Amino acid sequence: MDVEELSHLIENYGKDVYGFCCKLTRDKHQADDLYQEAFLKATELCHRIDDTRNPKIFLISIAANTWKNQRRKFGWRQRIAKMVAFQDDLDNAPGMIDGATPEHAALDNELHAMLDMASASLNDKFKIPLYMYYTAGLPVEDIASALKIPAGTVKSRLYKARKMIKEYMEVNGYEGF
């Protein structure tokens, strides 16, 4: 893969892959690293990118698999020696959403924060297909091929993820969600 082809991939699919990385990691710095690693791995695996199929699926599956590997390695490291992470709430604070009133904006921000917490609490096997579907806008069949699981399993995981998020929201006071 030459520089021109790589820049074409980044230009066409970079925003979608980066958005997926941001949702998955929930941290700007980790998302930047994951995004960069995904495209580095894509350059290594350039011979496997098929232009007749959607390259976006291939790139997002690389990011998802890289994320899984990082989480697995981090889990092993945590078992050996626990690390304490510094939380900087300025990076993770939800932005102001345009609303008719400040009260509406505050309620919207609270709702989005609750949805983020609910989706972040999901297991990766539910979270990754959910983010691929809603953040990256991939169809079920493409998610299935990227994760190498049947389409029915993807649909089932999306259904269960939505159900768990709904239960989380109802428990925390958002009736009729």
Side-chain angles (χ1 to χ4, degrees), residues 94-98 104-114 174:
M96 182 75 163
I97 298 172
D98 292 336
H104 187 290
L107 289 173
D108 279 348
N109 283 341
E110 185 178 339
L111 176 63
H112 286 285
M114 290 287 290
Y174 280 91

Side-chain angles (χ1 to χ4, degrees), residues 98-163:
D98 292 336
T101 64
E103 293 85 13
H104 187 290
L107 289 173
D108 279 348
N109 283 341
E110 185 178 339
L111 176 63
H112 286 285
M114 290 287 290
L115 283 170
D116 279 345
M117 289 184 348
S119 62
S121 69
L122 295 174
N123 186 331
D124 277 349
K125 90 177 193 183
F126 298 110
K127 185 186 332 183
I128 290 173
L130 185 76
Y131 288 162
M132 290 174 110
Y133 187 77
Y134 287 108
T135 303
L138 295 176
V140 171
E141 294 77 21
D142 292 345
I143 296 170
S145 69
L147 298 177
K148 296 179 178 76
I149 57 177
T153 303
V154 173
K155 290 178 186 178
S156 173
R157 289 182 184 177
L158 287 172
Y159 173 79
K160 288 177 185 175
R162 288 185 206 113
K163 185 176 176 183

